[in-house]
Amino acid sequence: MHLKRLKLAEQAFLNRYPGGFQHPEMLAIGKKHNVTKLSDFCQQAFGKRNFSNTNQIIEDWLKVISRSSMISLFEKPKFKSFINTRNSDEKKALVQSAKMMLHGKAESGFDLQLDLLKMDKLAKWSIISALPAYYRLQDEVFIKPTTAKGVVSYFELQDLTYKPTPSWDFYLNYRVQLTQMKEQVDKCLSPSNPAFSGFLMMSLPKKKQR
């Protein structure tokens, strides 16, 4: 990583928002995104024992996507349409992929879900990373394409090349390097991984955010 750029970004952010995400402006923004509320919902809805009820998991999954401020307004109806046009076996496979990502073999679950989403050309980073990101706010990462691409480039993350099509290798490496970046700055900048990603996004040069 480009540590100097990260430290300069930290200084600039804290100069503008003393206390980081405890600053009143940041707290107000946080309330609009409902990250904690959605995380609490996911903790209850996607516990391991709940995955025996396929229809309920599907219904709750749709709720998460529809309520998430991190998901594009264009992708929400596409995901709903994708779910509604799946047959019983495909829905069971989708639920199995989510269970594996959250409670078992994460890589296998990721790849299974990716293959299923490709059926309707819905293999999007925001869709595949949302549920894990809400379920484990401190460990998993939500990958917003414009932000991830800008972070990789501006902070010069090593051995990472952003591509629109999701891949487990990129996800894993990006998650590792964001964790390393968190360790280099004040903890007030990372009350959660979505918040830390927000800090990084706000620190990018404007042309990187387009």
Side-chain angles (χ1 to χ4, degrees):
M1 79 183 80
H2 197 304
L3 185 58
K4 184 177 180 179
R5 286 182 177 174
L6 179 61
K7 298 302 290 184
L8 286 173
E10 174 188 25
Q11 181 180 356
F13 192 88
L14 292 178
N15 283 343
R16 183 173 182 182
Y17 306 107
F21 283 92
Q22 290 302 309
H23 187 277
E25 286 188 44
M26 290 295 100
L27 289 172
I29 292 173
K31 287 182 179 180
K32 292 180 180 179
H33 287 292
N34 288 324
V35 171
T36 300
K37 187 177 291 186
L38 270 175
S39 179
D40 290 342
F41 174 78
C42 285
Q43 288 291 317
Q44 295 178 3
F46 299 99
K48 190 174 183 179
R49 65 182 182 278
N50 296 335
F51 278 85
S52 58
N53 190 334
T54 297
N55 290 335
Q56 188 62 52
I57 290 292
I58 290 292
E59 181 180 333
D60 290 337
W61 199 346
L62 284 169
K63 288 179 182 178
V64 172
I65 297 300
S66 67
R67 295 174 182 176
S68 173
S69 63
M70 301 192 295
I71 306 291
S72 164
L73 292 175
F74 297 103
E75 292 175 346
K76 292 180 180 183
K78 290 181 179 179
F79 183 73
K80 184 176 182 180
S81 176
F82 168 76
I83 290 293
N84 289 338
T85 54
R86 303 278 66 84
N87 62 38
S88 177
D89 288 340
E90 290 166 346
K91 287 182 178 179
K92 287 180 180 178
L94 273 168
V95 168
Q96 180 64 18
S97 75
K99 181 180 180 180
M100 293 167 71
M101 286 183 72
L102 299 180
H103 300 292
K105 301 177 181 178
E107 180 177 359
S108 297
F110 183 102
D111 290 338
L112 172 59
Q113 191 172 136
L114 182 63
D115 288 341
L116 291 164
L117 291 171
K118 284 180 178 178
M119 295 168 62
D120 265 11
K121 298 181 180 180
L122 199 61
K124 307 291 185 180
W125 274 115
S126 55
I127 297 296
I128 203 167
S129 66
L131 195 56
Y134 282 118
Y135 192 78
R136 293 192 179 91
L137 288 179
Q138 303 297 337
D139 302 310
E140 305 296 344
V141 290
F142 175 79
I143 296 183
K144 183 177 181 180
T146 50
T147 299
K149 187 176 182 180
V151 168
V152 169
S153 175
Y154 183 67
F155 292 104
E156 298 181 5
L157 303 190
Q158 296 299 304
D159 302 319
L160 271 178
T161 301
Y162 172 81
K163 294 182 180 179
T165 300
S167 71
W168 176 254
D169 285 344
F170 181 92
Y171 181 82
L172 185 63
N173 200 348
Y174 188 74
R175 186 178 66 186
V176 167
Q177 295 200 49
L178 252 65
T179 299
Q180 293 171 344
M181 294 174 79
K182 284 168 59 178
E183 294 171 351
Q184 298 297 325
V185 299
D186 194 290
K187 290 183 179 180
C188 70
L189 298 181
S190 58
S192 68
N193 277 350
F196 184 67
S197 292
F199 152 67
L200 294 177
M201 179 191 70
M202 295 172 70
S203 301
L204 296 175
K206 290 184 179 181
K207 65 179 180 179
K208 297 290 185 179
Q209 298 183 46
R210 294 174 184 172

